[in-house]
Amino acid sequence: MKKQLPPGQFETEKWPILHTGDVPEFNEITWNFRLFGEVKEEKSLSHKEIMELPKTISNVNMHCVTTWSKFDTTFEGIALRELLKFVEMNEGVKYIKIYGYFNGDRFGYSANLPLEPLLGDDSLFVYRWKDKNHDWQDIDPKHGYPLRFIPPEVFYLWKGSKWVSGIEFMKVDEAGFWEERGYSMTANPFKEERYR
Ligand SMILES: Nc1nc2c(c(=O)[nH]1)N[C@H]1C(S)=C(S)[C@@H](COP(=O)(O)O)O[C@H]1N2
Ligand SMILES: [Mo]
């Protein structure tokens, strides 16, 4: 995969851990993934249902707004487009918000994204990874186990919600957790869109 360092970034071989709040404990019984918002009918998927979906393996570069970039991590996960098959979106849906856990609230973290650039193999809800220094292994709880989103590299990594809980479908772009706190709505590392 192409290796281009966005402006103001440096390369790291380690995978740093960055989030606010505590790390939730995974409970397979209560865990679910909700598809809601501008859809004809909401849908909720169990962990088992998610894990039975077709899997995609992709190499993705990660760019964190705190200036580290990690190239060429191989992820195994469920492509976002697989999840779209479970809902009929209302006309005019152009944005989504991907929710995750924050301090006891399953929907306390979120990040907004345009839907159109997320239909490829590099928009994954991941549970396993490897790289040149690490063999295949589960995503660590600190990185978002049992399921976390990894966005395409044209978005800073804060758009990659950990401990995901669902997707909200939207006609209008709405700010998520960091976007409400002054970070960019569009967040393209190659255009250095850090703040707004
Ligand atoms: N639920 C949740 N997801 C989150 C965050 C968070 O605080 N809570 N932090 C984000 C930020 S700011 C970054 S840079 C990445 C870091 O992912 P990593 O710790 O796996 O490197 O997770 C993102 N996903
Ligand atoms: Mo971040």
Side-chain angles (χ1 to χ4, degrees):
M1 139 143 261
K2 198 175 82 185
K3 187 170 160 179
Q4 190 195 337
L5 202 58
Q9 297 289 113
F10 72 91
E11 180 176 357
T12 172
E13 291 218 336
K14 289 212 191 92
W15 184 4
I17 292 163
L18 257 116
H19 56 259
T20 51
D22 59 51
V23 174
E25 224 171 274
F26 171 46
N27 180 340
E28 201 180 329
I29 309 293
T30 53
W31 194 94
N32 64 19
F33 191 88
R34 283 183 60 203
L35 302 165
F36 64 102
E38 292 283 351
V39 289
K40 299 282 186 293
E41 209 179 313
E42 292 189 4
K43 174 80 184 168
S44 177
L45 293 152
S46 69
H47 187 252
K48 186 163 175 281
E49 286 171 313
I50 290 269
M51 296 307 285
E52 282 167 1
L53 294 175
K55 297 164 171 51
T56 300
I57 293 175
S58 276
N59 293 355
V60 188
N61 300 332
M62 297 185 277
H63 307 295
C64 175
V65 75
T66 61
T67 74
W68 58 265
S69 290
K70 182 181 187 302
F71 290 97
D72 225 14
T73 308
T74 307
F75 289 104
E76 180 180 314
I78 315 295
L80 188 138
R81 59 162 189 270
E82 280 304 326
L83 297 168
L84 301 183
K85 295 175 182 169
F86 291 94
V87 286
E88 197 184 328
M89 286 182 266
N90 291 333
E91 207 171 309
V93 168
K94 289 204 172 67
Y95 300 93
I96 59 170
K97 224 185 243 187
I98 301 180
Y99 285 84
Y101 176 93
F102 172 61
N103 274 351
D105 180 356
R106 286 186 56 214
F107 292 87
Y109 187 86
S110 66
N112 57 311
L113 286 156
L115 184 55
E116 197 270 331
L118 305 181
L119 304 178
D121 278 357
D122 55 353
S123 287
L124 290 185
F125 290 91
V126 307
Y127 46 82
R128 252 157 66 81
W129 70 287
K130 68 167 183 178
D131 66 13
K132 66 175 182 196
N133 301 314
H134 300 86
D135 205 351
W136 277 116
Q137 56 193 281
D138 284 348
I139 296 284
D140 191 274
K142 293 189 181 74
H143 285 299
Y145 193 83
L147 198 63
R148 81 74 66 84
F149 185 63
I150 296 286
E153 69 161 331
V154 291
F155 299 99
Y156 282 114
L157 192 60
W158 85 77
K159 301 284 186 182
S161 301
K162 308 195 212 181
W163 315 293
V164 290
S165 50
I167 304 172
E168 180 180 5
F169 295 86
M170 312 186 295
K171 293 182 182 177
V172 179
D173 199 10
E174 278 175 31
F177 184 93
W178 285 117
E179 296 80 7
E180 273 181 348
R181 290 160 176 80
Y183 284 84
S184 169
M185 296 289 268
T186 47
N188 185 330
F190 297 94
K191 299 179 183 165
E192 211 168 354
E193 296 169 341
R194 298 175 192 271
Y195 311 105
R196 62 168 175 151

